[in-house]
Amino acid sequence: MRLQLIQTDRMLSRMDQRVNQLVAAQMMRLLSESGADSAAMADALDMSETTLARRLTSQTIFTIAEIARAAMFLGCTLADLIPSGATEPVA
């Protein structure tokens, strides 16, 4: 039972990282298309540019609240930032 929990934790961790990478890629694409700069986005997300850079390079993970604020800033929906299939489990 304990081994199953450890394996599940590892799977969820990989899924979180994968989802974060996909979300970050979408954010960078939409930010570029919007013509806004990262300083304005960092301000909208109430974080430093350094923290935003860490999130966008997947060194740290976005929170749901940050993703929601990013969607508002970028003028898109949450679904636009979380690509289809992004939350499917990774083996």
mmCIF file of all heavy atoms in Angstrom, residues 27-56:
data_model
loop_
_atom_site.group_PDB
_atom_site.id
_atom_site.type_symbol
_atom_site.label_atom_id
_atom_site.label_comp_id
_atom_site.label_asym_id
_atom_site.label_seq_id
_atom_site.Cartn_x
_atom_site.Cartn_y
_atom_site.Cartn_z
ATOM 1 N N MET A 27 1.474 30.819 -21.584
ATOM 2 C CA MET A 27 1.582 32.190 -21.083
ATOM 3 C C MET A 27 2.610 32.985 -21.873
ATOM 4 O O MET A 27 2.365 34.135 -22.249
ATOM 5 C CB MET A 27 1.951 32.201 -19.603
ATOM 6 C CG MET A 27 0.802 31.940 -18.688
ATOM 7 S SD MET A 27 1.360 32.198 -16.984
ATOM 8 C CE MET A 27 0.022 31.420 -16.111
ATOM 9 N N MET A 28 3.756 32.385 -22.118
ATOM 10 C CA MET A 28 4.805 33.088 -22.859
ATOM 11 C C MET A 28 4.333 33.415 -24.280
ATOM 12 O O MET A 28 4.577 34.514 -24.779
ATOM 13 C CB MET A 28 6.095 32.275 -22.882
ATOM 14 C CG MET A 28 6.793 32.267 -21.535
ATOM 15 S SD MET A 28 8.467 31.588 -21.559
ATOM 16 C CE MET A 28 8.167 29.871 -21.906
ATOM 17 N N ARG A 29 3.648 32.474 -24.905
ATOM 18 C CA ARG A 29 3.139 32.706 -26.256
ATOM 19 C C ARG A 29 2.134 33.851 -26.256
ATOM 20 O O ARG A 29 2.229 34.781 -27.065
ATOM 21 C CB ARG A 29 2.496 31.433 -26.818
ATOM 22 C CG ARG A 29 1.979 31.585 -28.252
ATOM 23 C CD ARG A 29 1.315 30.310 -28.744
ATOM 24 N NE ARG A 29 0.118 29.980 -28.005
ATOM 25 C CZ ARG A 29 -1.078 30.564 -28.194
ATOM 26 N NH1 ARG A 29 -1.218 31.522 -29.070
ATOM 27 N NH2 ARG A 29 -2.117 30.187 -27.481
ATOM 28 N N LEU A 30 1.171 33.796 -25.337
ATOM 29 C CA LEU A 30 0.136 34.832 -25.276
ATOM 30 C C LEU A 30 0.709 36.182 -24.854
ATOM 31 O O LEU A 30 0.268 37.229 -25.339
ATOM 32 C CB LEU A 30 -0.993 34.399 -24.338
ATOM 33 C CG LEU A 30 -1.837 33.229 -24.856
ATOM 34 C CD1 LEU A 30 -2.749 32.692 -23.761
ATOM 35 C CD2 LEU A 30 -2.644 33.642 -26.078
ATOM 36 N N LEU A 31 1.691 36.171 -23.971
ATOM 37 C CA LEU A 31 2.342 37.419 -23.565
ATOM 38 C C LEU A 31 3.030 38.054 -24.774
ATOM 39 O O LEU A 31 2.894 39.256 -25.018
ATOM 40 C CB LEU A 31 3.345 37.164 -22.440
ATOM 41 C CG LEU A 31 4.109 38.382 -21.924
ATOM 42 C CD1 LEU A 31 3.153 39.411 -21.324
ATOM 43 C CD2 LEU A 31 5.141 37.945 -20.895
ATOM 44 N N SER A 32 3.723 37.252 -25.543
ATOM 45 C CA SER A 32 4.399 37.742 -26.740
ATOM 46 C C SER A 32 3.391 38.308 -27.743
ATOM 47 O O SER A 32 3.592 39.391 -28.294
ATOM 48 C CB SER A 32 5.201 36.607 -27.379
ATOM 49 O OG SER A 32 5.781 37.045 -28.582
ATOM 50 N N GLU A 33 2.303 37.577 -27.949
ATOM 51 C CA GLU A 33 1.268 38.018 -28.887
ATOM 52 C C GLU A 33 0.576 39.296 -28.419
ATOM 53 O O GLU A 33 0.130 40.096 -29.240
ATOM 54 C CB GLU A 33 0.229 36.918 -29.097
ATOM 55 C CG GLU A 33 0.748 35.741 -29.887
ATOM 56 C CD GLU A 33 -0.249 34.585 -29.958
ATOM 57 O OE1 GLU A 33 -1.385 34.718 -29.457
ATOM 58 O OE2 GLU A 33 0.118 33.540 -30.528
ATOM 59 N N SER A 34 0.495 39.489 -27.113
ATOM 60 C CA SER A 34 -0.217 40.653 -26.574
ATOM 61 C C SER A 34 0.576 41.944 -26.732
ATOM 62 O O SER A 34 0.001 43.034 -26.709
ATOM 63 C CB SER A 34 -0.542 40.441 -25.095
ATOM 64 O OG SER A 34 0.617 40.628 -24.291
ATOM 65 N N GLY A 35 1.886 41.826 -26.858
ATOM 66 C CA GLY A 35 2.731 43.010 -26.941
ATOM 67 C C GLY A 35 3.075 43.600 -25.581
ATOM 68 O O GLY A 35 3.844 44.556 -25.489
ATOM 69 N N ALA A 36 2.510 43.047 -24.519
ATOM 70 C CA ALA A 36 2.829 43.505 -23.162
ATOM 71 C C ALA A 36 4.207 42.975 -22.772
ATOM 72 O O ALA A 36 4.716 42.036 -23.386
ATOM 73 C CB ALA A 36 1.768 43.032 -22.178
ATOM 74 N N ASP A 37 4.786 43.552 -21.745
ATOM 75 C CA ASP A 37 6.083 43.049 -21.295
ATOM 76 C C ASP A 37 5.942 42.275 -19.992
ATOM 77 O O ASP A 37 4.910 42.322 -19.322
ATOM 78 C CB ASP A 37 7.120 44.164 -21.179
ATOM 79 C CG ASP A 37 6.761 45.226 -20.154
ATOM 80 O OD1 ASP A 37 5.912 44.981 -19.279
ATOM 81 O OD2 ASP A 37 7.364 46.303 -20.228
ATOM 82 N N SER A 38 7.006 41.557 -19.660
ATOM 83 C CA SER A 38 6.967 40.711 -18.464
ATOM 84 C C SER A 38 6.841 41.521 -17.178
ATOM 85 O O SER A 38 6.272 41.042 -16.205
ATOM 86 C CB SER A 38 8.178 39.788 -18.413
ATOM 87 O OG SER A 38 9.369 40.538 -18.373
ATOM 88 N N ALA A 39 7.339 42.749 -17.181
ATOM 89 C CA ALA A 39 7.219 43.590 -15.982
ATOM 90 C C ALA A 39 5.756 43.887 -15.685
ATOM 91 O O ALA A 39 5.327 43.839 -14.528
ATOM 92 C CB ALA A 39 7.996 44.886 -16.164
ATOM 93 N N ALA A 40 4.985 44.183 -16.722
ATOM 94 C CA ALA A 40 3.553 44.457 -16.541
ATOM 95 C C ALA A 40 2.827 43.204 -16.071
ATOM 96 O O ALA A 40 1.945 43.271 -15.204
ATOM 97 C CB ALA A 40 2.938 44.969 -17.837
ATOM 98 N N MET A 41 3.206 42.051 -16.612
ATOM 99 C CA MET A 41 2.564 40.801 -16.201
ATOM 100 C C MET A 41 2.926 40.473 -14.758
ATOM 101 O O MET A 41 2.059 40.062 -13.979
ATOM 102 C CB MET A 41 2.944 39.656 -17.116
ATOM 103 C CG MET A 41 2.211 38.378 -16.817
ATOM 104 S SD MET A 41 2.441 37.195 -18.160
ATOM 105 C CE MET A 41 1.721 35.758 -17.418
ATOM 106 N N ALA A 42 4.180 40.647 -14.398
ATOM 107 C CA ALA A 42 4.603 40.395 -13.017
ATOM 108 C C ALA A 42 3.815 41.284 -12.065
ATOM 109 O O ALA A 42 3.348 40.822 -11.020
ATOM 110 C CB ALA A 42 6.103 40.628 -12.867
ATOM 111 N N ASP A 43 3.647 42.537 -12.436
ATOM 112 C CA ASP A 43 2.882 43.467 -11.610
ATOM 113 C C ASP A 43 1.433 42.991 -11.470
ATOM 114 O O ASP A 43 0.874 43.002 -10.375
ATOM 115 C CB ASP A 43 2.936 44.870 -12.215
ATOM 116 C CG ASP A 43 2.332 45.916 -11.306
ATOM 117 O OD1 ASP A 43 2.722 45.975 -10.121
ATOM 118 O OD2 ASP A 43 1.472 46.678 -11.789
ATOM 119 N N ALA A 44 0.842 42.549 -12.574
ATOM 120 C CA ALA A 44 -0.545 42.062 -12.537
ATOM 121 C C ALA A 44 -0.684 40.816 -11.674
ATOM 122 O O ALA A 44 -1.739 40.580 -11.068
ATOM 123 C CB ALA A 44 -1.034 41.777 -13.955
ATOM 124 N N LEU A 45 0.371 40.016 -11.622
ATOM 125 C CA LEU A 45 0.348 38.793 -10.818
ATOM 126 C C LEU A 45 0.824 39.044 -9.394
ATOM 127 O O LEU A 45 0.920 38.113 -8.590
ATOM 128 C CB LEU A 45 1.201 37.705 -11.470
ATOM 129 C CG LEU A 45 0.743 37.233 -12.840
ATOM 130 C CD1 LEU A 45 1.689 36.175 -13.390
ATOM 131 C CD2 LEU A 45 -0.667 36.704 -12.799
ATOM 132 N N ASP A 46 1.162 40.296 -9.092
ATOM 133 C CA ASP A 46 1.619 40.684 -7.761
ATOM 134 C C ASP A 46 2.853 39.892 -7.336
ATOM 135 O O ASP A 46 2.921 39.332 -6.243
ATOM 136 C CB ASP A 46 0.483 40.528 -6.737
ATOM 137 C CG ASP A 46 0.780 41.247 -5.429
ATOM 138 O OD1 ASP A 46 1.478 42.279 -5.463
ATOM 139 O OD2 ASP A 46 0.313 40.770 -4.370
ATOM 140 N N MET A 47 3.838 39.842 -8.263
ATOM 141 C CA MET A 47 5.092 39.149 -7.967
ATOM 142 C C MET A 47 6.231 39.904 -8.633
ATOM 143 O O MET A 47 5.999 40.735 -9.511
ATOM 144 C CB MET A 47 5.039 37.688 -8.433
ATOM 145 C CG MET A 47 4.907 37.510 -9.935
ATOM 146 S SD MET A 47 4.927 35.784 -10.517
ATOM 147 C CE MET A 47 3.519 35.068 -9.713
ATOM 148 N N SER A 48 7.424 39.593 -8.232
ATOM 149 C CA SER A 48 8.594 40.224 -8.849
ATOM 150 C C SER A 48 8.828 39.618 -10.233
ATOM 151 O O SER A 48 8.335 38.526 -10.548
ATOM 152 C CB SER A 48 9.834 40.007 -7.981
ATOM 153 O OG SER A 48 10.218 38.642 -8.014
ATOM 154 N N GLU A 49 9.591 40.335 -11.044
ATOM 155 C CA GLU A 49 9.941 39.796 -12.368
ATOM 156 C C GLU A 49 10.772 38.524 -12.228
ATOM 157 O O GLU A 49 10.649 37.608 -13.041
ATOM 158 C CB GLU A 49 10.699 40.834 -13.185
ATOM 159 C CG GLU A 49 9.825 41.962 -13.689
ATOM 160 C CD GLU A 49 10.580 42.906 -14.591
ATOM 161 O OE1 GLU A 49 10.889 42.508 -15.727
ATOM 162 O OE2 GLU A 49 10.865 44.028 -14.139
ATOM 163 N N THR A 50 11.588 38.461 -11.190
ATOM 164 C CA THR A 50 12.400 37.263 -10.950
ATOM 165 C C THR A 50 11.511 36.066 -10.661
ATOM 166 O O THR A 50 11.727 34.975 -11.197
ATOM 167 C CB THR A 50 13.379 37.497 -9.781
ATOM 168 O OG1 THR A 50 14.222 38.603 -10.107
ATOM 169 C CG2 THR A 50 14.217 36.272 -9.497
ATOM 170 N N THR A 51 10.497 36.262 -9.825
ATOM 171 C CA THR A 51 9.575 35.166 -9.511
ATOM 172 C C THR A 51 8.820 34.739 -10.765
ATOM 173 O O THR A 51 8.668 33.541 -11.026
ATOM 174 C CB THR A 51 8.596 35.584 -8.402
ATOM 175 O OG1 THR A 51 9.355 35.878 -7.225
ATOM 176 C CG2 THR A 51 7.583 34.493 -8.098
ATOM 177 N N LEU A 52 8.365 35.705 -11.568
ATOM 178 C CA LEU A 52 7.677 35.361 -12.812
ATOM 179 C C LEU A 52 8.599 34.573 -13.727
ATOM 180 O O LEU A 52 8.186 33.560 -14.306
ATOM 181 C CB LEU A 52 7.166 36.622 -13.523
ATOM 182 C CG LEU A 52 6.489 36.369 -14.877
ATOM 183 C CD1 LEU A 52 5.271 35.462 -14.716
ATOM 184 C CD2 LEU A 52 6.105 37.684 -15.536
ATOM 185 N N ALA A 53 9.843 34.989 -13.838
ATOM 186 C CA ALA A 53 10.798 34.266 -14.682
ATOM 187 C C ALA A 53 10.976 32.828 -14.201
ATOM 188 O O ALA A 53 11.035 31.896 -15.015
ATOM 189 C CB ALA A 53 12.145 34.987 -14.705
ATOM 190 N N ARG A 54 11.016 32.632 -12.890
ATOM 191 C CA ARG A 54 11.132 31.269 -12.343
ATOM 192 C C ARG A 54 9.902 30.429 -12.684
ATOM 193 O O ARG A 54 10.017 29.242 -12.974
ATOM 194 C CB ARG A 54 11.330 31.313 -10.834
ATOM 195 C CG ARG A 54 12.700 31.771 -10.427
ATOM 196 C CD ARG A 54 12.876 31.701 -8.925
ATOM 197 N NE ARG A 54 14.157 32.254 -8.557
ATOM 198 C CZ ARG A 54 14.335 33.162 -7.619
ATOM 199 N NH1 ARG A 54 13.304 33.602 -6.901
ATOM 200 N NH2 ARG A 54 15.527 33.624 -7.358
ATOM 201 N N ARG A 55 8.728 31.061 -12.622
ATOM 202 C CA ARG A 55 7.501 30.345 -12.970
ATOM 203 C C ARG A 55 7.494 29.993 -14.462
ATOM 204 O O ARG A 55 7.157 28.879 -14.846
ATOM 205 C CB ARG A 55 6.254 31.176 -12.658
ATOM 206 C CG ARG A 55 6.076 31.587 -11.215
ATOM 207 C CD ARG A 55 5.442 30.503 -10.387
ATOM 208 N NE ARG A 55 4.879 31.011 -9.155
ATOM 209 C CZ ARG A 55 5.561 31.310 -8.064
ATOM 210 N NH1 ARG A 55 6.860 31.178 -8.034
ATOM 211 N NH2 ARG A 55 4.936 31.743 -6.982
ATOM 212 N N LEU A 56 7.874 30.964 -15.304
ATOM 213 C CA LEU A 56 7.825 30.748 -16.751
ATOM 214 C C LEU A 56 8.870 29.756 -17.246
ATOM 215 O O LEU A 56 8.721 29.192 -18.327
ATOM 216 C CB LEU A 56 7.973 32.083 -17.490
ATOM 217 C CG LEU A 56 6.792 33.041 -17.347
ATOM 218 C CD1 LEU A 56 7.106 34.384 -17.990
ATOM 219 C CD2 LEU A 56 5.512 32.447 -17.944
#
